[in-house]
């Protein structure tokens, strides 16, 4: 974020590991998206891996991924929603809930932290 002259709260991190999610949380990223679509995560472990990414056990404040996706193409509408929320609030309030219509366009399974 600093290298790009951006406030970390305005940035989106996409991570597939607990340590990556923890680093993004500790850096103050505004949105953390978990990703379980990589081939190193077997199909039978995607659900448990997604839940682990949302737990935030590696973050100082316990923050995990707000949403986890299995298809990278689903990232674009999430980022667009985050950008609209961030620009509207100009604050580090974080990710606002996904509108009900947004996940209907997703191509793969997804998880949202409750």
């Amino acid at each position: 974020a600093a290298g790009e002259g951006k406030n970390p709260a305005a940035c989106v991190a996409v991570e597939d590991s607990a340590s990556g999610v923890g680093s993004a949380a500790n850096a103050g990223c505004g949105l953390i998206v978990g990703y379980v679509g990589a081939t190193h995560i077997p199909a039978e472990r995607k659900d448990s891996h997604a839940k682990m990414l949302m737990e935030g056990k590696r973050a100082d404040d316990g923050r995990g991924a707000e949403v986890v996706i299995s298809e990278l193409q689903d990232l674009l509408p999430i980022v667009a929603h985050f950008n609209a929320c961030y620009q509207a609030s100009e604050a580090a309030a974080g990710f606002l809930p996904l509108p009900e219509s947004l996940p209907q366009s997703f191509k793969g399974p997804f998880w949202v932290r409750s």
Side-chain angles (χ1 to χ4, degrees), residues 4-5 9 28 31 46 49-50 53 63-64 80 89 102 106 109 113-114:
E4 294 295 320
L31 172 62
K46 289 189 188 306
H49 197 85
L53 293 174
R63 179 178 169 214
S89 69
L102 190 61
F106 289 176
R113 190 177 70 205
S114 50

Side-chain angles (χ1 to χ4, degrees), residues 16 19 24 32 37 40-41 47-48 50 52 62-63 66 71 79 84 88 90 93 95 110:
D16 68 353
S19 59
I32 304 169
H40 70 279
I41 303 169
D47 185 63
S48 63
M52 177 272 299
R63 179 178 169 214
E66 282 82 16
E71 296 288 335
V79 171
E90 285 296 322
F95 186 59
F110 66 96

Side-chain angles (χ1 to χ4, degrees), residues 3-113:
E4 294 295 320
K6 299 289 183 185
N7 178 346
C11 296
V12 176
V14 181
E15 298 292 345
D16 68 353
S17 70
S19 59
V21 168
S23 294
N26 294 341
C29 288
L31 172 62
I32 304 169
V33 178
Y35 178 63
V36 297
T39 57
H40 70 279
I41 303 169
E44 64 273 7
R45 294 197 54 231
K46 289 189 188 306
D47 185 63
S48 63
H49 197 85
K51 290 174 182 171
M52 177 272 299
L53 293 174
M54 291 185 290
E55 287 175 351
K57 290 189 176 183
R58 297 278 180 100
D60 294 342
D61 63 359
R63 179 178 169 214
E66 282 82 16
V67 61
V68 178
I69 57 173
S70 59
E71 296 288 335
L72 276 179
Q73 61 191 346
D74 296 336
L75 180 62
L76 295 176
I78 293 170
V79 171
H81 174 67
F82 170 78
N83 284 337
C85 293
Y86 184 82
Q87 290 174 2
S89 69
E90 285 296 322
F95 186 59
L96 297 178
L98 293 174
E100 287 185 28
S101 60
L102 190 61
Q104 293 174 6
S105 70
F106 289 176
K107 303 299 181 201
F110 66 96
W111 299 257
V112 178
R113 190 177 70 205

